[in-house]
Amino acid sequence: QVQLVESGGGLVQAGGSLRLRCVVSGNIFNFYTMTWYRQAPGKQREFVSSITPEGYTYYTDSVKGRFTISRDNAKKTVYLQMDSLKPTDTAVYYCHARSEQLGPYWGQGTQVTVSS
């Protein structure tokens, strides 16, 4: 059973920073493409950022230059460093993992609230 556990969310003022973390159980973390999604109240879940097993990164336009995704394969962990946060970044952030043969798997989500 693969489990994804997010942490690092919280309440922060606009302009502040948070670092989300997602730890993945199991032995094949290296093969997963790891993705962060978010869902704001009353809105659909949307793509935020992803990182491939090779380390290629992708971002939605609204977070480019402010968010940085990274992974530590030895720790089976993916991070999302979020800087210059805006109230519009307020959402539940979800970690997602999939490979060519396995997944997708989802975490339970972590709340990020940015006050103005």
Side-chain angles (χ1 to χ4, degrees), residues 49-68:
S49 179
S50 65
I51 185 166
T52 69
E54 299 82 10
Y56 295 107
T57 58
Y58 303 89
Y59 300 92
T60 192
D61 286 346
S62 62
V63 308
K64 285 181 181 177
R66 301 188 299 120
F67 290 10
T68 304

Side-chain angles (χ1 to χ4, degrees), residues 33-37 47-51 69 78 94-97:
T33 289
M34 300 300 301
T35 303
W36 287 97
Y37 289 84
F47 168 84
V48 177
S49 179
S50 65
I51 185 166
I69 192 170
V78 62
Y94 296 91
C95 182
H96 171 280

Side-chain angles (χ1 to χ4, degrees), residues 3-7 21-25 36 78 95 106-109:
Q3 289 187 321
L4 282 63
V5 180
E6 302 103 329
S7 62
R21 183 175 71 170
C22 173
V23 181
V24 183
S25 65
W36 287 97
V78 62
C95 182
W106 290 91
Q108 81 288 351

Side-chain angles (χ1 to χ4, degrees), residues 6-14 16-21 80 82 85-87 89-93 109-115:
E6 302 103 329
S7 62
L11 173 64
V12 64
Q13 289 188 333
S17 297
L18 285 173
R19 189 190 196 201
L20 304 185
R21 183 175 71 170
L80 186 67
M82 305 187 296
L85 282 161
K86 304 175 180 180
D89 295 317
T90 295
V92 178
Y93 284 71
T110 185
Q111 176 70 47
V112 172
T113 303
V114 184
S115 64

